[in-house]
Amino acid sequence: MNVLGIETSCDETAVAVVSDGTPPRVRANLVQSQLAEHAVYGGIVPEIAARAHLDLLDRLIRAALDEAAIGLDAIDGVAAAAGPGLIGGLIVGTMAAKGIAWAGNKPYVAVNHLEAHALTARLTDSVTFPYLLLLVSGGHSQLLACIGVGRYRQLGTTLDDAAGEAFDKSAKLLGLAQPGGPAIERAARTGNPRRFPLPRPMRGRDGCDFSFSGLKTAIRERVLACDVADPGIVADLAAAIEQAICDTLVDRTAIALRRFRAQHPAGTALVAAGGVAANARLRARLAALADDASLGFVAPPAGLCTDNGAMIAWAGVERLRLGLADPLDAPVRPRWPLDPGAYTAKPPR
Ligand code: KG4
Ligand code: ZN
């Protein structure tokens, strides 16, 4: 089975072709970032993102098919991210996918972007259910028990900002480039994480929820009191920020791991996914945590942690294998929780 995957939920236009099989194969995986278009505005402008997707998508689909060396006739299904995300981009991607599916009489799959992140470890490492997932991206920080395709139970979520947002906003304060996560990771390499103490939000509290707003304020105050023209100071601040965010994520994941193991004794692995899971320090810390619990740790290669088309195509493969195609009038869903029964976290009183 060959599935075409289209990702346009945020500021990356991405198209991939993935083949089913043992092991599955990523035949093409193209990502075109729109960073430059948004940079002058200091953040992602939804209307610009939608127009850029529209501008880029046709060529990217053609290039992905060329790279995969297959024609549309050899495509067995078309998957697109249908949410959560920015509505304009979601409409562009899903309409393109529906057009191809309709013209070629192929099944269409409306993919939940978060599910695509959640299932990527099954594409890269054939992880079997159930597993515990730390999903950390620019818009989400969640701990989920992944029980099956379409079956996720939320153990924790963020009460305010996402981990990726904490990286991005900190980078902005430090005068570093966007996306902030990789920029902080690079700057932190030569830094001393102990020079500037920062808080560890929620540490020691019961439950698996995250909070980053207090840390964000502390980082802001710390940075404003420093000379960010000094590369040594920037390196030390970046190292302190990276360590504080990682400590917070690992602390909450440790609690979730205990709960997950109690509820799922046959649990197979701790999996990390989403853009922040590309962070090497975080990966090393999570690997050690899983090792202590005698559990495997899996994180996809960095390029499959950040937004990409292969994860959408793979989610399409997984769903089509179960006969879960969607009708061509399936809507986009700018808000689309993975666990419909999950509470929406409220700020702590
Ligand atoms: O999954 P993703 O590509 O897009 C969303 O669905 O949000 O995640 C993007 C986020 C950004 O906040 C970016 O700064 C962060 O992932 N990120 C990283 C790293 N690479 C990307 N954070 C920390 N370290 C990294 N190496
Ligand atoms: Zn994402």
Side-chain angles (χ1 to χ4, degrees):
M1 187 196 297
N2 297 312
V3 174
L4 181 71
I6 298 175
E7 160 59 37
T8 54
S9 67
C10 194
D11 63 338
E12 244 106 41
T13 314
V15 181
V17 178
V18 170
S19 301
D20 198 4
T22 325
R25 191 167 143 221
V26 179
R27 299 172 69 117
N29 187 27
L30 304 179
V31 184
Q32 178 97 40
S33 172
Q34 307 170 3
L35 266 178
E37 274 134 294
H38 299 281
V40 282
Y41 301 98
I44 296 162
V45 184
E47 179 64 23
I48 292 178
R51 285 168 191 271
H53 288 308
L54 196 55
D55 194 35
L56 295 166
L57 198 51
D58 281 3
R59 266 174 292 148
L60 219 52
I61 292 170
R62 171 53 48 214
L65 289 170
D66 286 350
E67 192 171 311
I70 58 174
L72 270 178
D73 50 331
I75 292 290
D76 302 295
V78 190
L86 300 172
I87 190 164
L90 294 173
I91 290 173
V92 171
T94 54
M95 291 307 283
K98 287 175 181 181
I100 295 169
W102 180 76
N105 196 23
K106 300 171 194 303
Y108 163 70
V109 188
V111 170
N112 181 314
H113 176 96
L114 302 175
E115 176 167 58
H117 276 305
L119 297 176
T120 305
R122 290 169 51 77
L123 163 67
T124 57
D125 294 79
S126 307
V127 177
T128 53
F129 295 116
Y131 53 88
L132 176 66
L133 172 73
L134 172 67
L135 175 49
V136 269
S137 69
H140 300 270
S141 296
Q142 294 177 14
L143 282 155
L144 295 147
C146 301
I147 299 153
V149 173
R151 295 178 60 208
Y152 308 93
R153 214 172 54 73
Q154 182 179 293
L155 299 177
T157 186
T158 180
L159 302 174
D160 37 58
D161 298 339
E165 215 174 325
F167 272 112
D168 293 339
K169 290 190 174 148
S170 301
K172 211 182 247 187
L173 286 169
L174 291 175
L176 299 174
Q178 296 293 318
I184 296 234
E185 180 167 32
R186 269 192 306 277
R189 269 185 211 136
T190 54
N192 169 10
R194 282 172 296 282
R195 178 167 169 199
F196 297 110
L198 289 169
R200 305 291 190 262
M202 311 291 278
R203 186 150 75 177
R205 280 217 220 166
D206 196 24
C208 310
D209 288 333
F210 305 99
S211 167
F212 290 101
S213 67
L215 176 61
K216 197 172 71 180
T217 307
I219 291 170
R220 185 177 179 78
E221 281 168 8
R222 185 62 75 182
V223 172
L224 292 180
C226 288
D227 176 11
V228 292
D230 179 337
I233 289 180
V234 170
D236 291 343
L237 282 167
I241 291 164
E242 187 185 47
Q243 182 130 311
I245 296 173
C246 288
D247 279 353
T248 304
L249 291 173
V250 170
D251 175 69
R252 314 315 293 165
T253 307
I255 297 175
L257 201 50
R258 286 198 289 276
R259 292 191 177 177
F260 172 74
R261 298 224 74 180
Q263 288 162 6
H264 302 278
T268 60
L270 170 63
V271 170
V276 179
N279 185 277
R281 183 186 292 263
L282 178 63
R283 292 162 83 102
R285 297 279 306 279
L286 292 171
L289 184 70
D291 197 44
D292 286 347
S294 306
L295 212 59
F297 172 69
V298 175
L304 293 178
C305 283
T306 49
D307 290 350
N308 63 87
M311 68 180 194
I312 304 295
W314 174 249
V317 169
E318 292 253 36
R319 296 190 79 83
L320 286 174
R321 284 200 298 216
L322 298 172
L324 297 172
D326 291 283
L328 288 180
D329 61 356
V332 294
R333 298 180 63 181
R335 288 178 186 275
W336 189 358
L338 263 189
D339 174 355
Y343 57 94
T344 311
K346 298 236 169 29
R349 265 178 273 158

